[in-house]
Amino acid sequence: LSRNFGSFVACLAGLRNSSGDCAVVISADLQDPPELIPDMVSEWQQGHKIVLAVRRDREDPFIARCMASLYYRLMRRFALKEMPPGGFDFFLIDRVAIDIISKIREKNTSLPGLVLWVGFPKKMLYYTRKERELGRSMWTFSKKIKYFIDSFTAFSYFPLRLASVTG
């Protein structure tokens, strides 16, 4: 990575270069509990190709919770019906799914969206996302809007249909 292309591009690069039978993707901001990883591995050993750590609740500020709720509601309604209401970006993924996702050459997309899109049955483990204790999020409002537009247009026919009807 020659510059900061974003966390999802970096995670995808890590998955593409991984060599194990499975991989776990987790943010380094300490808001997601790494102590869930042994449970995720256990579920994978039982045959689940994808194990999602889904947010049951968030200790984020009120505005952040509202924006996240709106994002996931819109994604479930118009794009990815199987998107968990609390969302996820902490997950375990099997080599078979890694290989499929690695062949997809989308530049502006959502890694969680791709994980859902590949279609393997998912096991969900629930947790409460902790408040950020150190540092500041690099997710500015404009980056969140861009991410929403990229995700929405990558996984939904709605924008195309709207343009067709409007035209």
Side-chain angles (χ1 to χ4, degrees), residues 146-160:
K146 180 189 179 312
Y147 180 68
F148 169 74
I149 292 169
D150 289 345
S151 301
F152 197 69
T153 56
F155 297 102
S156 174
Y157 291 113
F158 181 77
L160 185 58

Side-chain angles (χ1 to χ4, degrees), residues 7-158:
S7 63
F8 293 123
V9 172
C11 290
L12 189 54
L15 288 173
R16 285 184 177 143
N17 288 286
S18 68
S19 59
D21 294 333
C22 68
V24 173
V25 172
I26 185 171
S27 297
D29 60 12
L30 304 176
Q31 289 182 276
D32 301 319
E35 56 271 11
L36 268 181
I37 294 173
D39 294 336
M40 297 169 87
V41 170
S42 176
E43 293 294 342
W44 173 73
Q45 289 171 332
Q46 292 176 39
H48 296 97
K49 300 285 186 209
I50 296 175
V51 182
L52 308 177
V54 176
R55 298 180 202 100
R56 178 185 329 245
D57 198 8
R58 322 166 71 100
E59 295 177 356
D60 296 328
F62 177 75
I63 298 290
R65 287 194 318 265
C66 289
M67 294 296 287
S69 176
L70 178 63
Y71 169 81
Y72 292 116
R73 197 173 325 125
L74 289 172
M75 288 300 289
R76 277 193 326 279
R77 172 79 168 92
F78 295 107
L80 294 165
K81 302 214 181 303
E82 62 275 8
M83 176 66 75
F88 73 97
D89 45 34
F90 173 23
F91 57 90
L92 179 146
I93 185 169
D94 186 85
R95 168 58 45 199
V96 174
I98 292 170
D99 291 343
I100 292 169
I101 289 173
S102 294
K103 292 176 184 171
I104 299 170
R105 295 297 175 188
E106 293 283 330
K107 290 187 179 180
N108 297 316
T109 190
S110 154
L111 183 54
L114 290 175
V115 168
L116 294 174
W117 182 81
V118 293
F120 291 102
K122 292 152 276 305
K123 174 68 176 181
M124 295 184 211
L125 303 177
Y126 294 89
Y127 72 100
T128 297
R129 184 175 187 198
K130 302 290 182 203
E131 184 177 5
R132 179 184 291 269
E133 293 183 19
L134 300 171
R136 285 182 45 202
S137 174
M138 301 304 286
W139 281 93
T140 62
F141 184 71
S142 62
K143 286 180 183 178
K144 289 177 183 180
I145 295 296
K146 180 189 179 312
Y147 180 68
F148 169 74
I149 292 169
D150 289 345
S151 301
F152 197 69
T153 56
F155 297 102
S156 174
Y157 291 113
F158 181 77

